[in-house]
Amino acid sequence: MALVEKLRPIKIEEYLEGEKATDIRHEYVAGAVYAVVGASGLHNLLTLALAANLRQHLRGSPCRVFMSDMKVRVEDAFYYPDVLVVCGAVDVDASYQTAPTLVVEVLSESTEARDRLEKRLAYQSLESLKEYALVAQDKMRVEIYRRVEDGWQLETYSYGDRVRFASIKYEVAIEQLYEDVLDYTGKK
């Protein structure tokens, strides 16, 4: 005999309360909750390098850099990007942000498809978002989707390039972002 279970969507308020009471992070999309898998050491090093570079550049500005534990709300979804920058008013007591200027995801084999499609489309629906960056772990490669007058354009950077974050007026050699993560030939 088949086992039948009735599944009900979780309300946003239930999700937010649940996140306060657990050590495991979850993303929320339209009533469904998904556990966020732990990151590799390589993923962690890249995330830290990006956040440190952005934080140093933005010191004294109205922009704030957040890392992995800050959620972004997009309508009826909550995501945990690897790095996000919010320029303007920030509620530092909030568990999520709603108006990021820049969102960065470090690609993992298990999350790449979702980062490239679902999350990209969700983030790009935010009026405040100017850039969405995808950072590869296995080679020096950064892709930035940048809002332009009539939509979005994609710029791809690799070894020898200077990565340009136009939304926060910052340029950096890609080798600096990958310093101590990959050697300059692209090997771990």
Side-chain angles (χ1 to χ4, degrees), residues 30-44:
V33 176
Y34 307 91
V36 177
V37 182
S40 69
L42 192 57
H43 187 284
N44 199 281

PDB file of all heavy atoms in Angstrom, residues 30-44:
ATOM      1  N   ALA A  30       9.119  29.991  -2.062  1.00  0.00           N
ATOM      2  CA  ALA A  30       7.673  29.763  -2.212  1.00  0.00           C
ATOM      3  C   ALA A  30       7.126  28.678  -1.294  1.00  0.00           C
ATOM      4  O   ALA A  30       6.370  27.806  -1.717  1.00  0.00           O
ATOM      5  CB  ALA A  30       7.357  29.446  -3.674  1.00  0.00           C
ATOM      6  N   GLY A  31       7.521  28.701  -0.026  1.00  0.00           N
ATOM      7  CA  GLY A  31       6.997  27.762   0.953  1.00  0.00           C
ATOM      8  C   GLY A  31       7.806  26.501   1.145  1.00  0.00           C
ATOM      9  O   GLY A  31       7.548  25.720   2.052  1.00  0.00           O
ATOM     10  N   ALA A  32       8.791  26.271   0.286  1.00  0.00           N
ATOM     11  CA  ALA A  32       9.660  25.098   0.417  1.00  0.00           C
ATOM     12  C   ALA A  32      10.993  25.516   1.020  1.00  0.00           C
ATOM     13  O   ALA A  32      11.491  26.610   0.743  1.00  0.00           O
ATOM     14  CB  ALA A  32       9.873  24.441  -0.946  1.00  0.00           C
ATOM     15  N   VAL A  33      11.577  24.651   1.838  1.00  0.00           N
ATOM     16  CA  VAL A  33      12.828  24.951   2.526  1.00  0.00           C
ATOM     17  C   VAL A  33      13.891  23.941   2.092  1.00  0.00           C
ATOM     18  O   VAL A  33      13.619  22.750   2.010  1.00  0.00           O
ATOM     19  CB  VAL A  33      12.620  24.878   4.063  1.00  0.00           C
ATOM     20  CG1 VAL A  33      13.914  25.088   4.802  1.00  0.00           C
ATOM     21  CG2 VAL A  33      11.591  25.918   4.492  1.00  0.00           C
ATOM     22  N   TYR A  34      15.094  24.455   1.791  1.00  0.00           N
ATOM     23  CA  TYR A  34      16.207  23.634   1.329  1.00  0.00           C
ATOM     24  C   TYR A  34      17.419  23.892   2.220  1.00  0.00           C
ATOM     25  O   TYR A  34      17.806  25.040   2.410  1.00  0.00           O
ATOM     26  CB  TYR A  34      16.587  23.995  -0.110  1.00  0.00           C
ATOM     27  CG  TYR A  34      15.419  23.947  -1.065  1.00  0.00           C
ATOM     28  CD1 TYR A  34      14.645  25.088  -1.312  1.00  0.00           C
ATOM     29  CD2 TYR A  34      15.088  22.769  -1.706  1.00  0.00           C
ATOM     30  CE1 TYR A  34      13.569  25.035  -2.182  1.00  0.00           C
ATOM     31  CE2 TYR A  34      14.014  22.720  -2.583  1.00  0.00           C
ATOM     32  CZ  TYR A  34      13.257  23.855  -2.818  1.00  0.00           C
ATOM     33  OH  TYR A  34      12.194  23.806  -3.677  1.00  0.00           O
ATOM     34  N   ALA A  35      18.024  22.826   2.725  1.00  0.00           N
ATOM     35  CA  ALA A  35      19.232  22.972   3.540  1.00  0.00           C
ATOM     36  C   ALA A  35      20.374  23.460   2.662  1.00  0.00           C
ATOM     37  O   ALA A  35      20.515  23.057   1.517  1.00  0.00           O
ATOM     38  CB  ALA A  35      19.602  21.650   4.193  1.00  0.00           C
ATOM     39  N   VAL A  36      21.197  24.368   3.203  1.00  0.00           N
ATOM     40  CA  VAL A  36      22.375  24.872   2.511  1.00  0.00           C
ATOM     41  C   VAL A  36      23.556  24.009   2.931  1.00  0.00           C
ATOM     42  O   VAL A  36      23.860  23.904   4.111  1.00  0.00           O
ATOM     43  CB  VAL A  36      22.629  26.359   2.856  1.00  0.00           C
ATOM     44  CG1 VAL A  36      23.897  26.852   2.198  1.00  0.00           C
ATOM     45  CG2 VAL A  36      21.430  27.211   2.440  1.00  0.00           C
ATOM     46  N   VAL A  37      24.197  23.402   1.962  1.00  0.00           N
ATOM     47  CA  VAL A  37      25.308  22.495   2.220  1.00  0.00           C
ATOM     48  C   VAL A  37      26.534  23.293   2.658  1.00  0.00           C
ATOM     49  O   VAL A  37      26.763  24.410   2.184  1.00  0.00           O
ATOM     50  CB  VAL A  37      25.631  21.687   0.948  1.00  0.00           C
ATOM     51  CG1 VAL A  37      26.756  20.697   1.202  1.00  0.00           C
ATOM     52  CG2 VAL A  37      24.389  20.964   0.454  1.00  0.00           C
ATOM     53  N   GLY A  38      27.337  22.733   3.526  1.00  0.00           N
ATOM     54  CA  GLY A  38      28.574  23.374   3.958  1.00  0.00           C
ATOM     55  C   GLY A  38      29.533  23.567   2.798  1.00  0.00           C
ATOM     56  O   GLY A  38      29.506  22.835   1.814  1.00  0.00           O
ATOM     57  N   ALA A  39      30.386  24.559   2.902  1.00  0.00           N
ATOM     58  CA  ALA A  39      31.308  24.915   1.819  1.00  0.00           C
ATOM     59  C   ALA A  39      32.673  24.254   2.022  1.00  0.00           C
ATOM     60  O   ALA A  39      33.093  23.984   3.141  1.00  0.00           O
ATOM     61  CB  ALA A  39      31.466  26.427   1.765  1.00  0.00           C
ATOM     62  N   SER A  40      33.374  24.042   0.914  1.00  0.00           N
ATOM     63  CA  SER A  40      34.733  23.497   0.960  1.00  0.00           C
ATOM     64  C   SER A  40      35.706  24.573   1.439  1.00  0.00           C
ATOM     65  O   SER A  40      35.380  25.762   1.464  1.00  0.00           O
ATOM     66  CB  SER A  40      35.146  23.012  -0.428  1.00  0.00           C
ATOM     67  OG  SER A  40      35.318  24.126  -1.298  1.00  0.00           O
ATOM     68  N   GLY A  41      36.916  24.151   1.756  1.00  0.00           N
ATOM     69  CA  GLY A  41      37.946  25.110   2.150  1.00  0.00           C
ATOM     70  C   GLY A  41      38.245  26.087   1.032  1.00  0.00           C
ATOM     71  O   GLY A  41      38.419  27.287   1.261  1.00  0.00           O
ATOM     72  N   LEU A  42      38.305  25.591  -0.204  1.00  0.00           N
ATOM     73  CA  LEU A  42      38.563  26.446  -1.362  1.00  0.00           C
ATOM     74  C   LEU A  42      37.468  27.496  -1.515  1.00  0.00           C
ATOM     75  O   LEU A  42      37.742  28.678  -1.730  1.00  0.00           O
ATOM     76  CB  LEU A  42      38.651  25.574  -2.618  1.00  0.00           C
ATOM     77  CG  LEU A  42      39.171  26.206  -3.887  1.00  0.00           C
ATOM     78  CD1 LEU A  42      40.563  26.784  -3.694  1.00  0.00           C
ATOM     79  CD2 LEU A  42      39.180  25.172  -5.008  1.00  0.00           C
ATOM     80  N   HIS A  43      36.228  27.062  -1.390  1.00  0.00           N
ATOM     81  CA  HIS A  43      35.078  27.973  -1.465  1.00  0.00           C
ATOM     82  C   HIS A  43      35.199  29.050  -0.394  1.00  0.00           C
ATOM     83  O   HIS A  43      35.008  30.239  -0.654  1.00  0.00           O
ATOM     84  CB  HIS A  43      33.805  27.153  -1.276  1.00  0.00           C
ATOM     85  CG  HIS A  43      32.536  27.894  -1.483  1.00  0.00           C
ATOM     86  ND1 HIS A  43      32.024  28.772  -0.565  1.00  0.00           N
ATOM     87  CD2 HIS A  43      31.656  27.890  -2.523  1.00  0.00           C
ATOM     88  CE1 HIS A  43      30.876  29.265  -1.003  1.00  0.00           C
ATOM     89  NE2 HIS A  43      30.639  28.749  -2.197  1.00  0.00           N
ATOM     90  N   ASN A  44      35.551  28.629   0.810  1.00  0.00           N
ATOM     91  CA  ASN A  44      35.676  29.546   1.933  1.00  0.00           C
ATOM     92  C   ASN A  44      36.794  30.563   1.715  1.00  0.00           C
ATOM     93  O   ASN A  44      36.631  31.749   1.998  1.00  0.00           O
ATOM     94  CB  ASN A  44      35.908  28.734   3.211  1.00  0.00           C
ATOM     95  CG  ASN A  44      35.602  29.525   4.440  1.00  0.00           C
ATOM     96  OD1 ASN A  44      36.414  30.340   4.848  1.00  0.00           O
ATOM     97  ND2 ASN A  44      34.447  29.272   5.031  1.00  0.00           N
TER      98      ASN A  44
END
